[in-house]
Amino acid sequence: MTVYGNFPGSRPRRLRTTPAMRRMVAETRLDAADLILPAFVREGVDAPVPISAMPGVYQHTLDTLRKAAVEAVSAGISGIMLFGVPADEKKDARGTAGTDPDGILQAGLRAVREEVGDDLVIMSDLCLDEYTDHGHCGVLTADGRVDNDATLERYAEMAQVQADAGAHVVGPSGMMDGQVGVIRDALDQTGHEDVSILAYTVKYSSAFYGPFREAVGSSLKGDRKTYQQDPANIRESLRELALDLEEGADMVMVKPAGPYLDILAKVADAADVPVAAYQISGEYAMIEAAAEKGWIDRDAAILESLTGIRRAGAQMILTYWATEVAQRLGGR
């Protein structure tokens, strides 16, 4: 055997020798408490409706939503983010079903709050796109543009009804200028000072939202490039962060997660509030599809993707695998 003196003098592989060693020296740890489950509740169905592009994800009835919430609590995850799917005939140009106290999202919030109380952080998507017949996140002008300030008035109404229905946290996702400040004022003026705002601070106009459109029964015509961010840009993300913090955001989010880990890391370095990231429908669908083909190890790929998001700086991760992964982590 040839001896090369002390070369190599440093042997990092010593810390990779066994699973126990690797676990002991791991720099990033994924915990059930890091996870938030996005969930859909659909009006007018008596059984869960499978979402074809997202195997294992369903549009819930109120009863199955309750069960999902209980399961989430048992698994030890921190929160659930609810999205409403109204009947098509209830959609209109102003998204009035979104501010109806008896609308499907508000019914879902009440059901979950009644079922699990404060054992789960109950979050609500605060946006109009599920409820408008044009599928945009706001009110349109006569020439078809999204009217920022008219939309803010609708968001203020949504914040109040969602808080009244039991939301601990509202998540404005429409990317309207000034949305956090208007929502904070609306909550404070209606006695909801303790309701938090998880701002969708950095939300890119992404090709990876496709399966979500099926999940919420979107009626979108056109695209959202005039209000969601351009994937080419970085600096405007930090500008959006500064504005949301100034307006009173309690937490901030980057969406999507996987394709924007560089942005997530910059936001996490700059923010002085908790940072979330949303592993969106397209990210979920790609892993599930590749695993179904036998091209990747599904369970390993899920954990690797989530660990990467956590490593980039997310303290909270919204993922459709939240309950499943939490159960697996608990079994270690």
Side-chain angles (χ1 to χ4, degrees), residues 155-172:
Y155 286 2
E157 295 177 54
M158 293 188 81
Q160 180 179 346
V161 297
Q162 291 178 2
D164 287 344
H168 295 104
V169 178
V170 295

Side-chain angles (χ1 to χ4, degrees), residues 134-276:
H134 47 72
H136 279 287
C137 297
V139 179
L140 301 186
T141 61
D143 61 356
R145 294 179 297 107
V146 175
D147 186 326
N148 191 93
D149 295 359
T151 298
L152 294 182
E153 294 179 13
R154 301 288 294 122
Y155 286 2
E157 295 177 54
M158 293 188 81
Q160 180 179 346
V161 297
Q162 291 178 2
D164 287 344
H168 295 104
V169 178
V170 295
S173 60
M175 291 300 290
M176 296 296 119
D177 295 338
Q179 62 184 14
V180 171
V182 166
I183 290 167
R184 184 71 272 159
D185 285 347
L187 291 170
D188 291 350
Q189 291 173 19
T190 55
H192 296 298
E193 296 89 350
D194 291 338
V195 174
S196 302
I197 298 175
L198 169 57
Y200 284 59
T201 293
V202 182
K203 185 177 181 182
Y204 282 96
S205 179
S206 173
F208 293 98
Y209 294 135
F212 183 87
R213 307 271 165 83
E214 177 191 348
V216 296
S218 175
S219 302
L220 181 65
K221 301 174 180 67
D223 60 49
R224 298 183 174 127
K225 293 181 179 180
T226 64
Y227 45 102
Q228 294 178 352
Q229 286 182 230
D230 185 339
N233 294 346
I234 295 175
R235 284 192 295 270
E236 70 175 338
S237 297
L238 298 179
R239 185 183 183 197
E240 292 279 6
L241 172 64
L243 290 168
D244 281 356
L245 293 177
E246 182 181 346
E247 291 174 25
D250 299 288
M251 299 169 276
V252 296
M253 186 195 295
V254 175
K255 180 180 180 180
Y260 297 95
L261 295 181
D262 60 327
I263 307 300
L264 174 58
K266 289 180 180 295
V267 169
D269 285 344
D272 61 357
V273 298
V275 175

Side-chain angles (χ1 to χ4, degrees), residues 23-324:
R23 185 170 63 248
M24 183 178 73
V25 302
E27 298 173 36
T28 303
R29 300 185 188 279
L30 190 64
D31 188 87
D34 304 330
L35 305 177
I36 297 165
L37 176 69
F40 307 99
V41 58
R42 178 170 171 178
E43 188 171 20
V45 295
D46 55 13
V49 179
I51 300 167
S52 64
M54 300 173 68
V57 181
Y58 299 85
Q59 295 171 329
H60 285 287
T61 69
L62 289 174
D63 285 342
T64 63
L65 179 64
R66 288 175 179 269
K67 293 176 183 177
V70 170
E71 188 178 25
V73 171
S74 297
I77 72 173
S78 289
I80 187 168
M81 172 69 81
L82 300 187
F83 298 84
V85 185
D88 284 342
E89 61 271 17
K90 292 190 178 179
K91 295 182 180 182
D92 60 28
R94 293 181 57 80
T96 53
T99 50
D100 179 355
D102 296 319
I104 185 59
L105 178 54
Q106 284 67 253
L109 289 167
R110 284 192 294 272
V112 173
R113 192 66 181 264
E114 289 169 2
E115 193 69 33
V116 300
D118 294 334
D119 291 342
L120 198 62
V121 179
I122 302 167
M123 304 177 172
S124 56
D125 178 62
L126 199 163
C127 196
L128 287 170
D129 59 318
E130 296 100 320
Y131 310 100
T132 55
D133 53 13
H134 47 72
H136 279 287
C137 297
V139 179
L140 301 186
T141 61
D143 61 356
R145 294 179 297 107
V146 175
D147 186 326
N148 191 93
D149 295 359
T151 298
L152 294 182
E153 294 179 13
R154 301 288 294 122
Y155 286 2
E157 295 177 54
M158 293 188 81
Q160 180 179 346
V161 297
Q162 291 178 2
D164 287 344
H168 295 104
V169 178
V170 295
S173 60
M175 291 300 290
M176 296 296 119
D177 295 338
Q179 62 184 14
V180 171
V182 166
I183 290 167
R184 184 71 272 159
D185 285 347
L187 291 170
D188 291 350
Q189 291 173 19
T190 55
H192 296 298
E193 296 89 350
D194 291 338
V195 174
S196 302
I197 298 175
L198 169 57
Y200 284 59
T201 293
V202 182
K203 185 177 181 182
Y204 282 96
S205 179
S206 173
F208 293 98
Y209 294 135
F212 183 87
R213 307 271 165 83
E214 177 191 348
V216 296
S218 175
S219 302
L220 181 65
K221 301 174 180 67
D223 60 49
R224 298 183 174 127
K225 293 181 179 180
T226 64
Y227 45 102
Q228 294 178 352
Q229 286 182 230
D230 185 339
N233 294 346
I234 295 175
R235 284 192 295 270
E236 70 175 338
S237 297
L238 298 179
R239 185 183 183 197
E240 292 279 6
L241 172 64
L243 290 168
D244 281 356
L245 293 177
E246 182 181 346
E247 291 174 25
D250 299 288
M251 299 169 276
V252 296
M253 186 195 295
V254 175
K255 180 180 180 180
Y260 297 95
L261 295 181
D262 60 327
I263 307 300
L264 174 58
K266 289 180 180 295
V267 169
D269 285 344
D272 61 357
V273 298
V275 175
Y278 196 146
Q279 185 182 52
I280 66 170
S281 60
E283 299 175 71
Y284 177 96
M286 287 192 300
I287 290 177
E288 289 287 352
E292 190 275 331
K293 290 284 189 181
W295 294 339
I296 60 173
D297 180 324
R298 176 185 181 274
D299 291 354
I302 290 169
L303 286 179
E304 184 176 340
S305 67
L306 292 171
T307 299
I309 296 166
R310 184 75 178 85
R311 187 185 63 243
Q315 295 166 260
M316 303 167 288
I317 304 173
L318 286 82
T319 175
Y320 300 98
W321 290 302
T323 301
E324 174 191 340

